[in-house]
Every structure is written in structure tokens, then in C-alpha cells.
Amino acid sequence: MIMPNMHYADLKDSYLFFNIAQKTKAYLETHPGTHLYRMGIGDVSLPLCDAVIRALHEAVNDQADKALFHGYMPECGAPFLRQAIAEHYRKRGVSLSDDEVFVSSGASDELGDILDLFDRSSSALIMEPAYPAYVDANVIAGRKIVHLPAGAENHFLPEPSGDFKADIIYVCSPNNPTGAVFSREQLQRWVDFANDNGSVILFDAAYEAFIVDDSLPHSIFELPGAETCAIEICSLSKTAGFTGTRLGYTVIPKTLVRRGMCFNDMWVRNRTTKTNGVSYIIQKGGAAVFTDEGQKQIRENIAVYKNNAKTLMSVLDKLGIWYCGGKNAPYIWMKCPDGMGSWEFFDLLLNEIQVVGTPGEGFGACGEGYFRFSTFGDPEDTEKAAELLYELLRRGKV
Ligand code: PLP
């Protein structure tokens, strides 16, 4: 009889967003017609910008024209988009060749697929709390996982140490769920650690566009030595509202080599085997993001989310509640008041002020006692939710 991948049986039930959905559904059943302030899920609320929409329309028209029509696209990405992305890096002082950029359908797909590059015997270090896909993708592959818990004592930015080793190291900065961002010096220590140990860093830069502090790195390739130890996985989902349109990119330097194997060459081989490229229309829309007009327009949308973050942070500041994130990231990670558990705090907010956030415990055991607010919601809702949160916690109802 066929042997299924038995590692699927090792996956923990992904109950986080399911539980949230069940609890909010139950609340609405007993309180029909109530408006909920949804600040839980990390999905955007603003539409694609005009430059992208125009490019998408034009690309659809191309597909109706025999002379301009595109069939299969190059597996690693359309040259016009690879070039636009590499140019975007070059403008920021990171020198890349176009063929070190691979176009993807989004970071989630890539975070799963990229593990094809590593032997199953390689271990994975995951800093927690973490984006849940890191753990699950490695459990499915049967890899040993080294869990590295973070906490308020290190501002949720753990440091490398001689106490542990791993082959694959996940670094997510700005972080989901904590919003914490590694400084240049801190990230350099991870780069040095990876080079010293022959490890590879998978740098998840899905939220780099939210960095406003000039001293913080947007790309791991801003740091010396990263070109021999890192792969950077990026997404236009939050940067440019592509959550439903689907587009991302991955940077694999040609200098990333282990045991004589060049990861860039391996990924070309992987892509030419496993995909037929991303749709021409979507890649045209993506290229518009990297034009001056596109950059200006996506910044306007990001500014709206930044304003949401400001609104929430000012309430937490007034209340004297510990939090991180918000300034350089679209998530705010707060300590639940009065030692409450994260699900307990979830219930309180839902029942008392109809605000829906995300309990920190869902991102790993060390997230217990913390709570995540997403700033991707509607500004009016965020404003109102912040007011209600302030009144609730100020009254000391907890
Ligand atoms: N990485 C992180 C840290 C995320 O939070 C997300 C989505 O929320 C992703 C990757 C996936 O992004 P995409 O929409 O490009 O698949």
C-alpha cells in the first residue's frame, strides 16, 4: 500500500484563525446586526493604486491583440519585471543582476517551495512568535525544528548564540506578528553567524515597505556577507495591495554556494521544472509598482495604514501599555493588561467593545499574554476601535 507523507499527522491543528472566526460568528449570532471592528487579519483594505490598475488594463488589451499577445511566460519571471526589481535594489545601493531576481506568485508559495533547495536532514531555526507557515512547511518535510523563543526582554529580537545551530535560519524583519525590526548591527550578527556555520538565512521581507527609520535595513543584502548566506523572499501583498492579485519575488545571489552547489542555478532548475511562470497580466501590473508613479501611489496607501498605527499607538502610550511594532511595521504587539491570557483578552475585547484582534498565543507558546493588532483596517473603524479600547482599559474594567 502507498505510504503517504506521514509528517502531515505531526501538524498541529491550525486553530488560530478558525477559532477567531468561530468566536466572532457565535457573537454575531447572539448579537445580530452588530458592527465588528476587525483588526485581526493581515489583509489590506485599500484597492490597488491607479498606476497598477492602468497597467493591468493595458495588459489585458495586449492579450486581445495578436501582435502583442503573450503565451507562456519565462519560468523565472518576465525580463521587464526582473529588471525593474533589480533596478529598485540598485537605487537603494544593493547591486544585483537581473537573473538574481525570481518572480513568484507571492511569498507564501515561495516559502513553501524554496525548501526544495535543502536536504530533508537539514534543521530549521524558527524565532518565535512566528508566521505559522514556517513551522508547518518544515513539519511537512519532516525537518528538525529548533525553536528560538523571543520575549519582551530582547524586544522580540533574539540574538544568535553558541547554544544552538541550524542549517536554515528564518529571519522575518519587520516581523509578523510582533512588528519588531532588526537593526543593522543585530542583523549583521545573524549574517556572520550563518556564514560561520555554513547555514542559509531565509529572510522574509514581506513588510520592508513599512520601514520609515532610515537606519533600519530593508534588505538583508544591505549587509556585507549576506550575499554568501541569504535568500530574500519578498511580496507585493502588503507593499502594494496584491493580496488578491498575487505577486512576489525572491532574490538568490549567484554567490550563495554550499558544497559546490549554486543555489541560484538550482532555483532556475527548480522553477523550469515546477512552474510555467506568473501571468503576463499580473507581472505587468507588478512592474507598474516599480515606476516613480507607482512608488508614489503605493506610499500614499501605506501612509493610511501608518496613520492607523499612530492612532492605536497613541492610545497604548496614554494607557502606559507595553507594546512593540507599529512604527516600522503594520502590526502592533501589545502586552495584555493585568496578566490576562491572550484568548481571555480576545474575549474581553469582542464582548465589551466588539473589537477583533489576534491572540498572540496563536503564533507560538511564547506569544501567550500578548495580542496583535493589524493596522490594515479601515481608518474610521480603527479610530473608533482605538477610542473604545482606551475607554475600556482606562475604566480599569479588566
Ligand atoms: N510572510 C509573512 C511574514 C507574512 O505575514 C505573509 C502574509 O501575511 C506572507 C509571508 C505571505 O505573503 P503573500 O501574500 O505574498 O503570500
Side-chain angles (χ1 to χ4, degrees), residues 42 105-109 111 131 134 172 174-176 204 206-207 234-238 242-243 246-248 331:
S105 293
S108 282
D109 309 42
L111 282 163
Y131 181 57
Y134 304 158
C172 179
N175 186 273
N176 178 12
D204 186 337
Y207 298 102
C234 306
S235 166
L236 291 189
S237 283
K238 313 300 162 71
F242 273 63
T243 50
R246 310 304 303 144
L247 194 66
Y331 298 113

Side-chain angles (χ1 to χ4, degrees), residues 89 92-96 100-101 184 187-188 191 200-203 205 217-234 250-256:
Y89 273 82
R92 287 181 173 170
V94 174
S95 155
L96 288 183
E100 291 178 308
V101 176
R184 224 164 263 279
L187 194 54
Q188 185 69 58
V191 166
V200 171
I201 294 176
L202 294 182
F203 187 74
H218 288 253
S219 162
I220 196 165
F221 298 115
E222 291 173 33
L223 302 168
E227 68 285 357
T228 54
C229 72
I231 291 175
E232 181 157 296
I233 296 176
C234 306
T250 297
V251 177
I252 309 183
K254 290 188 182 155
T255 42
L256 178 61

Side-chain angles (χ1 to χ4, degrees), residues 155 157-159 171 173-174 180-191 203 211 213-220 222-223 328:
H155 281 77
L157 294 167
E159 291 278 335
V171 179
S173 179
V181 189
F182 280 104
S183 71
R184 224 164 263 279
E185 295 71 26
Q186 288 169 320
L187 194 54
Q188 185 69 58
R189 286 195 279 279
W190 280 107
V191 166
F203 187 74
I211 293 176
D213 184 340
D214 285 343
S215 70
L216 298 172
H218 288 253
S219 162
I220 196 165
E222 291 173 33
L223 302 168
N328 293 290

